[in-house]
Amino acid sequence: NMTVTVAFVNILIKYISNNQTVEQSFIYYLGVFLVLDLALYFWHRLNHVSAFLWRFHKVHHLDSLLSTTTAFRFHPMEIILSPLFKIIFIWVFSIPLEIIIIHSAIVNFFSMYEHSNINLPNWAEKIVSIIFITPNIHKIHHSPTRKETDSNYGTIFTIWDRLFKTFNSSKHSGAFGIKGKVKTEDHFKKLFWCYKDLT
């Protein structure tokens, strides 16, 4: 996946993005940053709604024990399709390369953080989760119960889930993964070809 990302994603984004350095206001940069983050929310949600995309995305949901490594567990096809989806927004809104890089860096940080086993104190959780995704919020997204899995799609902000009615603040049961006979240790070939029994 790291090879695919370096060889394909970064080159593609650099090619399609606006490489001209143009002085813009802070509001502009904040606006295009939020547009890019909104695109990521919809892409994540689409991966759960579309049966075709779910076959690839469910590889990310197989882990029965959430850890930082889960943040890197994606099917290579999803890694290729994800930037292709973002390119639409990058092209329409002429999002500068520096914003793409900054957003990607922050997304990677939050992705590792929210998949970690770090627990914030209750008082901090209540404050931080008003705006930002926390590990406790994202744990619900990795629940074996599909209704809970189909919630909390955000990566950085909770605002998109709150705005589009997909926010779930219920207490997590402590179980992760996907219901069925699937195991995290399933053969690489089985995962790569997305066998239908990986439900």
Side-chain angles (χ1 to χ4, degrees):
N1 281 349
M2 290 179 69
T3 303
V4 171
T5 300
V6 173
F8 180 79
V9 178
N10 292 340
I11 294 173
L12 192 61
I13 289 176
K14 187 174 181 179
Y15 175 79
I16 201 70
S17 66
N18 180 7
N19 291 300
Q20 295 179 351
T21 303
V22 180
E23 290 295 330
Q24 297 284 357
S25 66
F26 172 77
I27 297 298
Y28 167 80
Y29 284 116
L30 178 62
V32 292
F33 182 92
L34 292 175
V35 164
L36 200 55
D37 199 61
L38 180 60
L40 187 62
Y41 165 85
F42 277 121
W43 167 249
H44 191 178
R45 190 170 178 176
L46 189 61
N47 273 269
H48 283 248
V49 174
S50 166
F52 172 75
L53 294 175
W54 175 246
R55 290 191 66 181
F56 303 118
H57 186 64
K58 65 186 172 186
V59 172
H60 175 66
H61 282 266
L62 291 179
D63 277 352
S64 57
L65 181 63
L66 229 57
S67 70
T68 309
T69 61
T70 309
F72 302 98
R73 184 189 180 92
F74 286 97
H75 193 282
M77 183 58 69
E78 182 176 350
I79 290 180
I80 291 174
L81 293 174
S82 180
L84 291 176
F85 179 84
K86 286 199 298 184
I87 280 171
I88 299 170
F89 292 83
I90 292 169
W91 178 69
V92 171
F93 293 93
S94 298
I95 298 176
L97 181 59
E98 55 264 38
I99 294 297
I100 299 170
I101 294 172
I102 291 171
H103 183 264
S104 297
I106 295 175
V107 163
N108 286 335
F109 168 78
F110 266 87
S111 185
M112 288 186 288
Y113 166 64
E114 65 198 23
H115 288 99
S116 70
N117 57 2
I118 297 172
N119 287 316
L120 295 175
N122 288 335
W123 65 268
E125 178 76 28
K126 289 178 181 179
I127 296 172
V128 174
S129 64
I130 294 173
I131 300 175
F132 298 109
I133 301 292
T134 64
N136 277 333
I137 289 175
H138 197 69
K139 282 177 183 177
I140 299 168
H141 181 71
H142 280 266
S143 166
T145 305
R146 191 60 193 263
K147 185 179 179 180
E148 293 181 349
T149 305
D150 294 341
S151 67
N152 296 355
Y153 297 109
T155 302
I156 301 176
F157 305 110
T158 58
I159 182 175
W160 309 127
D161 285 297
R162 295 181 190 277
L163 185 63
F164 297 105
K165 311 297 183 184
T166 55
F167 186 74
N168 189 338
S169 60
S170 60
K171 189 175 181 180
H172 185 258
S173 63
F176 303 103
I178 295 177
K179 287 184 177 179
K181 297 180 180 180
V182 65
K183 294 182 180 179
T184 301
E185 298 80 10
D186 267 330
H187 195 278
F188 175 81
K189 181 180 177 182
K190 194 174 186 180
L191 297 175
F192 186 81
W193 292 109
C194 300
Y195 288 0
K196 289 185 178 180
D197 60 336
L198 298 176
T199 55

